[in-house]
Amino acid sequence: MKNFLLHLFFLLIILTPTQAQERSSFYATMDSNDAEKLKMELPQEIEIITTYKGQSAVLLTEYAANELQENLILHGPGYVFKGSKEQAVKSLENDFLSQTREITNFTITEDVMVNAALDLVQEINIENEILELEGYGTRYHTKTSASQAVMDLKDQWEAMALASGRSDISVRLYYHTNTNMPSVILTIEGAESPDDFIIVGGHMDSSNYSNQNDAPGADDNGSGVASVIEMSRVIIDMNFIPQKTIEFMAYAAEEIGLVGSDEIAAEYKNNNINVEAYVNFDMTNYKGSTEDVYINTDYYISTTLNNFLFDLMDHYNSSGAHQFTYGTSICNYGCSDHYSWAQQGYDAAFPFEAAFGEHNPYIHSSQDTYSITGNSEHAAKFVKLGLEFIIEAAKSQTLSTNDIIGNNFKMLIKDRKLIYQLNNLNDSINQFELFDITGKRILVVDDLQRSGEISLGNLANGFYVAVFDFDENGTLAKKFILN
Ligand code: BES
Ligand code: ZN
């Protein structure tokens, strides 16, 4: 026994310092109180570079990162990975930038489109998607199955784009510097203001701190990705033509410190891309609390955007077939990819599955499987909120209010004919399109005269949307009832 203890003693002496030296370190940002605590406990394992408004840029060893996870904070790593010292320091300043951002005014006017979209949401699609994602076994960012999941989503989105026959929809992989796993992005180019972006997204990778080969990640974050995919499916199936550019994103490597979204958001900022709003979907299918959708209110979240989400739910979800309730929740630090966008000064929001602490307790373990939730009822509410946000935010700012063409263009329905006339304006009509209540395009007419009529003779009675595309003045949508 004595001998054993002696051996153990020597083993410790030999191992401890070598391990400390060999441990790889990396830059990160984290809560400055956590950083201070860590410094007290493990002075050799963390260097605090600078502190600003409650956040610190630090150099951390892997050991310190583990310690933080296991002993200091309630959940997750508690830090955000940064590729270099400069990036870590700069992101503290970016946090400051986000306090002084411009405010975008969104309105709620698209009842017909939104209600049609909400009716199209199907829980079975969300379920199938979550099960498929869980089926990869692990989507931990270093595993080939994680990259495979991204490639497969790229194929799925490309098939959807192809089937739509539209040339304004494209899909691309985004390759990263700090992980081998790519992200994937579906873009629908805005018809009127393609430089203004409305973005939704969620992370594709998963994690299980005790065994990275067994990280099913059904709720974290199969559910969020499945929700984003269902939003994209509905938008494309109803042939929604956005005035602004819409993007749907599935990120790499969130679980190791928001790596994928951080690189994407930084590039968007560098390229001066006007992202008007970003809404994040990370964990949507576990109903752990009394209310349904919990809107995150952390300090870096946009209050304006949050208020818009509350307004949307008051308007579309307070009664009827798509009714659900909401509350508020916090993480207290950058707990998911919305933080990457907020850091670049963009308005970001994060609707979450439960009050913080009442969320799915099985995440980051081999038990984060679909069977825990059993159905996709909860996630469907997030898909609906996402669709409300996308349709209202990406519509034309000018179409419903002060539309130049509106005063010079007349349309009426008479004797099952659509009669139109363009007056006093030097423009011509490129194309006419007719959509039914499900958003399906049922008629296209090219090269119209300045005035004329289109026969609606054999169409079923019901609600329709007529869209005129003008050479100079964008598009004009008019709703009508045929009876
Ligand atoms: N989905 C979680 C975020 C989460 C978990 C929010 C529980 C609210 C409650 C996310 O994937 C995650 O694990 N994030 C890390 C931080 C990130 C910077 C690695 C976390 O929250 O610990
Ligand atoms: Zn997550």
Side-chain angles (χ1 to χ4, degrees):
M1 185 63 180
K2 223 177 180 181
N3 222 349
F4 172 72
L5 282 177
L6 206 66
H7 270 107
L8 194 70
F9 178 66
F10 275 112
L11 203 70
L12 279 175
I13 294 216
I14 293 162
L15 279 182
T16 315
T18 349
Q19 268 186 0
Q21 275 158 21
E22 282 179 1
R23 260 171 225 143
S24 59
S25 307
F26 59 93
Y27 292 97
T29 56
M30 61 189 292
D31 183 274
S32 44
N33 290 328
D34 291 345
E36 291 296 342
K37 276 188 226 154
L38 211 52
K39 186 80 191 164
M40 297 271 281
E41 277 185 23
L42 304 163
Q44 303 300 319
E45 309 284 334
I46 174 171
E47 181 193 334
I48 302 179
I49 301 160
T50 178
T51 293
Y52 188 79
K53 287 199 168 180
Q55 291 283 304
S56 299
V58 297
L59 179 63
L60 269 188
T61 61
E62 295 282 359
Y63 180 77
N66 280 339
E67 192 64 12
L68 182 68
Q69 239 170 56
E70 278 159 22
N71 298 323
L72 273 181
I73 54 159
L74 285 171
H75 64 107
Y79 59 83
V80 176
F81 174 90
K82 294 288 157 184
S84 70
K85 186 173 178 176
E86 290 67 37
Q87 281 171 22
V89 172
K90 200 165 157 247
S91 64
L92 296 186
E93 292 161 11
N94 284 343
D95 255 344
F96 175 64
L97 263 184
S98 67
Q99 309 296 314
T100 58
R101 64 199 146 211
E102 226 179 88
I103 289 166
T104 308
N105 286 319
F106 295 127
T107 55
I108 301 178
T109 56
E110 306 303 295
D111 292 63
V112 174
M113 274 290 171
V114 170
N115 284 312
L118 301 189
D119 288 340
L120 292 175
V121 175
Q122 283 181 21
E123 285 170 28
I124 185 72
N125 292 339
I126 309 171
E127 168 170 318
N128 288 338
E129 203 61 57
I130 298 178
L131 286 171
E132 191 176 324
L133 290 168
E134 178 181 327
Y136 288 95
T138 177
R139 301 185 311 283
Y140 187 64
H141 78 116
T142 57
K143 309 287 177 188
T144 47
S145 51
S147 294
Q148 191 59 49
V150 173
M151 303 299 223
D152 292 347
L153 176 52
K154 176 180 181 271
D155 289 349
Q156 187 180 343
W157 265 342
E158 276 175 344
M160 279 162 64
L162 193 70
S164 76
R166 285 168 59 168
S167 57
D168 56 344
I169 307 182
S170 58
V171 184
R172 71 193 154 116
L173 288 177
Y174 188 108
Y175 290 100
H176 295 286
T177 314
N178 292 303
T179 175
N180 286 329
M181 180 183 178
S183 298
V184 56
I185 303 174
L186 180 139
T187 306
I188 308 183
E189 202 189 358
E192 195 175 282
S193 337
D195 295 339
D196 298 332
F197 281 61
I198 297 297
I199 305 180
V200 294
H203 70 93
M204 174 64 109
D205 65 314
S206 65
S207 185
N208 170 2
Y209 300 140
S210 50
N211 177 7
Q212 294 301 2
N213 288 317
D214 186 6
D219 194 37
D220 187 8
N221 182 31
S223 66
V225 171
S227 303
V228 168
I229 298 173
E230 180 64 357
M231 289 171 214
S232 70
R233 187 202 58 84
V234 170
I235 289 287
I236 294 172
D237 272 8
M238 69 190 288
N239 214 351
F240 178 70
I241 316 276
Q243 302 307 313
K244 297 173 193 165
T245 294
I246 308 173
E247 290 199 312
F248 301 87
M249 302 190 172
Y251 305 112
E254 184 265 2
E255 296 285 4
I256 55 157
L258 317 181
V259 165
S261 59
D262 181 77
E263 289 183 19
I264 295 175
E267 188 189 285
Y268 275 50
K269 186 68 190 179
N270 269 340
N271 294 341
N272 274 324
I273 294 182
N274 181 32
V275 178
E276 288 194 352
Y278 173 76
V279 179
N280 193 51
F281 294 89
D282 184 359
M283 298 170 63
T284 62
N285 204 31
Y286 179 88
K287 183 165 165 38
S289 302
T290 325
E291 311 302 343
D292 293 315
V293 170
Y294 282 78
I295 300 289
N296 184 291
T297 56
D298 280 336
Y299 67 98
Y300 52 86
I301 290 282
S302 158
T303 342
T304 328
L305 184 55
N306 268 0
N307 287 338
F308 181 52
L309 298 183
F310 293 136
D311 287 349
L312 285 170
M313 292 187 284
D314 288 343
H315 189 85
Y316 288 114
N317 312 110
S318 60
S319 63
H322 307 293
Q323 183 177 17
F324 59 80
T325 63
Y326 62 80
T328 62
S329 159
I330 47 160
C331 275
N332 265 330
Y333 75 104
C335 60
S336 185
D337 299 297
H338 54 297
Y339 183 68
S340 299
W341 295 94
Q343 272 202 310
Q344 300 299 338
Y346 296 124
D347 278 355
F350 179 29
F352 188 64
E353 67 184 13
F356 183 77
E358 293 175 4
H359 57 273
N360 192 331
Y362 299 103
I363 62 165
H364 303 154
S365 83
S366 59
Q367 293 170 73
D368 182 6
T369 59
Y370 187 71
S371 58
I372 295 295
T373 50
N375 62 56
S376 292
E377 217 179 297
H378 202 50
K381 300 160 194 163
F382 292 80
V383 175
K384 290 175 183 176
L385 174 59
L387 286 166
E388 291 159 15
F389 162 70
I390 292 166
I391 294 172
E392 294 286 8
K395 72 178 174 225
S396 161
Q397 293 290 323
T398 52
L399 209 87
S400 2
T401 47
N402 131 55
D403 189 10
I404 339 154
I405 200 115
N407 299 323
N408 298 293
F409 185 79
K410 300 275 173 283
M411 183 195 100
L412 64 105
I413 307 295
K414 208 176 160 210
D415 301 328
R416 302 190 75 81
K417 275 185 291 213
L418 185 155
I419 303 163
Y420 66 91
Q421 186 167 31
L422 179 62
N423 297 314
N424 311 323
L425 194 71
N426 189 14
D427 203 344
S428 50
I429 308 169
N430 256 334
Q431 195 182 54
F432 164 82
E433 291 168 291
L434 190 65
F435 297 91
D436 70 11
I437 185 77
T438 69
K440 192 175 281 153
R441 193 168 72 165
I442 49 175
L443 186 60
V444 190
V445 186
D446 287 320
D447 300 321
L448 283 83
Q449 303 295 309
R450 286 176 64 88
S451 65
E453 48 184 61
I454 295 162
S455 167
L456 305 172
N458 48 11
L459 291 181
N461 285 349
F463 206 100
Y464 294 90
V465 179
V467 179
F468 290 87
D469 180 29
F470 298 89
D471 263 338
E472 304 292 333
N473 285 283
T475 56
L476 178 67
K478 294 238 181 220
K479 299 153 193 166
F480 66 86
I481 293 171
L482 189 64
N483 54 23

